[in-house]
Amino acid sequence: MKPVSDRRLSDVVSVGLLTRVFPASLVDEVIAECGRREQRSRSLTARVTAYFSIGMALNSQGSYEEVFEQLTDGLSWSSGWSQSWSPPTKSAIFQARSRLGYEPVRELFRRVARPLADAETPGSWLAGRRLVALDGTCLDLPDTPANAEHFGRPGSSRGEQSAFPQARLVALAECGTHAVFDAAIGPCRTSERELAHDLMDTLAPGMLLLADRGIYGFDMWTRAAATGADLLWRVKSTLSPRHLETLDDGSWLAQIIPTSGENRRQRTPLTVRVIDYTLDDGRENPEQYRLLTTILDPSDAPAEELAFAYAQRWEIENTFDELKTHQRGPRAVLRSKSPPLVLQEIWGHLCCHYAIRTLMRDAATAGSHDPDRISFVAALRITRRSLSHSSFSPS
C-alpha cells in the first residue's frame, strides 16, 4: 500500500532551518524590543549574531570560525556584502555576541516555543488533556572566576566543590513531542522548585502537568492548580493527606494543608485525589508510589490510567538527554566564559532543540508517524548538513 506521504525527514529538515522557525522579521523585532539594534553600520549585524548563537548549538565542538563558516557556506552575499568580504575573526564574533547579550535569544525562544502536538499525535493526551512534564538538570560551565561567582559550584559528598561551575535549567516539555516550550535558568544553588515558580504562569487549562516528588509543596501546588491546568505529581510516601473518601477504583479523596510556614493552620485545605501503587518488577520490596492529582472523578481518568500516564514524565529526561548528550555532543562543558554569554548559549541550545523538534513533528505528521519513532540523532545530523545551505540574508 502506498504510504500517506512519501516525504522523507530530509525533505522536511531542509533549506532555511533557522529562518523557517525563527523568521528574520521576528528576529529583528525582538532585537529592537530588547534595545540591541546597531547604532552604526557593522559587518556582524545583531540579526546574524542571533542566528549564530543558535547555530553554535549545532556545532558545539567547532570553533567560532567553523560555526560561522557552516552558517554562511554557499550564500551569495548580495544584500549589502562586498565581494571582498572575509570571514570575521574570533575576536569580532566574541564582541558581536557580547553586544547582543542573552535577552534577544531568550525572548526569541519565548515568542516562538509552544506545544506542538495536535489531536492525533500519539502519546500526547490523556482524557482530553495535553501531557506536559516539568523537571530540571544542571550544565557544566567553563571554570572562570565570573562563572563561579555568578552560578556557583555544587558540593560533593566529601564536602569538596565540583571541578566546574554549574547552571541549573528547569523546563516544561510536551511529553509526546519532546518540545520544550518554557524554561528558567539560574545558579546551581537555586533549587528546582524555586526556578519552577517562574514557569507556572505558562500552564493553561487543558494541560496535565506531570512532576516528580522534588517539586511538590503546598504553595507550588496551589499556584499551579490556579492556572486551570490539571496536575499529576508524585509526592513522598511520608506525606499523609487527611483521608476523606475511598473511591471505586482504589484511589481516595483527601485534603492537603501546608506542612510549614506561619499561620499554616489557618490556610484553606485543598481537596486532591491520591493514587497509591507499586510496580510488579520482580523485586521483593517494590518501590511505593504516591501520586496526587486534581482530577477528582475516576470516571474521567481511572487510577490505573493515571499511573500509566505518570510514566510519561520520563520523556522530559529523554529531552534533556537530547540536549546534553547528542546536541551538545561529548563536550561536557559549555564554551562561554562569562555569565551573559553562558545564558545566551543555553537559550541558543533551547532554540536549536525546539527548531529540530518542530521539523521532526512536521516529518512525523507528513508520514503519519509517532514523533518518538523518529531518531533525534538522525534529525540533528541532517540539520547540520542542511544548515550550510541555509538562505537567511546576512544584512
Side-chain angles (χ1 to χ4, degrees):
M1 178 180 295
K2 182 178 175 60
V4 175
S5 171
D6 56 6
R7 283 204 294 171
R8 300 167 299 174
L9 180 63
S10 56
D11 297 325
V12 180
V13 183
S14 58
V15 173
L17 163 71
L18 301 186
T19 54
R20 178 182 174 187
V21 182
F22 303 101
S25 59
L26 177 60
V27 174
D28 292 344
E29 181 181 325
V30 167
I31 288 170
E33 289 176 358
C34 292
R36 301 303 165 89
R37 182 179 289 167
E38 294 87 356
Q39 300 301 312
R40 61 185 178 89
S41 177
R42 297 182 184 275
S43 58
L44 275 175
T45 65
R47 179 200 293 179
V48 170
T49 308
Y51 283 124
F52 178 86
S53 68
I54 304 173
M56 283 196 306
L58 284 172
N59 189 4
S60 60
Q61 299 181 77
S63 67
Y64 275 0
E65 295 90 344
E66 289 170 340
V67 173
F68 205 88
E69 284 181 11
Q70 186 183 42
L71 276 169
T72 58
D73 182 35
L75 288 175
S76 59
W77 302 97
S78 58
S79 301
W81 286 75
S82 160
Q83 290 184 351
S84 62
W85 175 87
S86 59
T89 63
K90 178 179 179 180
S91 175
I93 296 173
F94 170 78
Q95 292 175 34
R97 287 189 65 202
S98 298
R99 288 193 301 269
L100 182 70
Y102 70 88
E103 293 88 351
V105 188
R106 178 192 64 190
E107 295 309 310
L108 191 60
F109 174 82
R110 289 178 172 173
R111 291 280 290 272
V112 171
R114 58 179 177 80
L116 296 172
D118 60 27
E120 306 302 320
T121 305
S124 299
W125 305 91
L126 176 74
R129 297 163 174 86
R130 185 187 302 271
L131 292 173
V132 301
L134 183 149
D135 206 352
T137 189
C138 286
L139 301 167
D140 286 339
L141 312 176
D143 186 10
T144 65
N147 283 346
E149 180 180 359
H150 182 85
F151 292 103
R153 303 173 188 267
S156 70
S157 57
R158 298 180 179 179
E160 302 171 352
Q161 288 189 321
S162 169
F164 297 101
Q166 287 188 346
R168 189 180 302 279
L169 167 68
V170 176
L172 281 169
E174 186 176 42
C175 296
T177 64
H178 293 197
V180 175
F181 60 95
D182 202 2
I185 305 166
C188 65
R189 55 182 170 267
T190 305
S191 69
E192 286 186 6
R193 187 182 300 177
E194 186 175 346
L195 288 174
H197 271 288
D198 297 336
L199 306 180
M200 292 300 105
D201 292 340
T202 306
L203 300 175
M207 293 181 178
L208 176 58
L209 176 64
L210 314 178
D212 202 358
R213 52 191 168 185
I215 296 298
Y216 175 79
F218 184 84
D219 289 339
M220 181 74 79
W221 181 276
T222 302
R223 181 171 178 178
T227 65
D230 281 301
L231 313 179
L232 180 63
W233 295 6
R234 187 181 179 188
V235 297
K236 296 178 180 178
S237 57
T238 54
L239 181 72
S240 301
R242 187 168 72 86
H243 180 274
L244 295 178
E245 177 187 356
T246 300
L247 304 174
D248 292 341
D249 65 349
S251 61
W252 43 289
L253 299 180
Q255 286 185 334
I256 55 173
I257 59 173
T259 57
S260 62
E262 296 182 2
N263 302 319
R264 63 180 182 274
R265 298 187 183 280
Q266 281 70 51
R267 301 281 297 276
T268 302
L270 298 178
T271 301
V272 298
R273 184 165 154 225
V274 185
I275 298 132
D276 291 319
Y277 66 98
T278 59
L279 298 177
D280 186 6
D281 56 6
R283 290 183 294 175
E284 292 185 4
N285 298 301
E287 187 174 2
Q288 300 285 324
Y289 288 80
R290 170 163 288 179
L291 306 180
L292 301 187
T293 183
T294 55
I295 303 176
L296 304 183
D297 188 350
S299 65
D300 198 2
E304 186 174 357
E305 285 188 15
L306 290 171
F308 278 116
Y310 180 73
Q312 292 292 314
R313 192 199 68 80
W314 289 100
E315 296 298 337
I316 194 171
E317 302 286 356
N318 293 333
T319 301
F320 288 146
D321 182 67
E322 293 166 1
L323 272 164
K324 296 174 64 174
T325 303
H326 302 296
Q327 183 173 295
R328 186 183 58 180
R331 185 186 183 97
V333 182
L334 298 181
R335 73 170 79 217
S336 301
K337 294 178 171 58
S338 68
L341 296 190
V342 165
L343 293 172
Q344 184 191 89
E345 185 175 354
I346 295 174
W347 287 113
H349 268 284
L350 290 169
C351 286
C352 178
H353 183 271
Y354 184 81
I356 294 171
R357 272 292 165 185
T358 299
L359 298 172
M360 290 174 67
R361 185 283 312 269
D362 291 347
T365 300
S368 299
H369 297 305
D370 183 340
D372 285 346
R373 303 290 294 176
I374 296 177
S375 167
F376 180 84
V377 174
L380 179 62
R381 188 179 303 118
I382 293 169
T383 301
R384 284 171 173 158
R385 288 204 304 266
S386 68
L387 185 63
S388 63
H389 303 291
S390 297
S391 56
F392 71 88
S393 171
S395 64

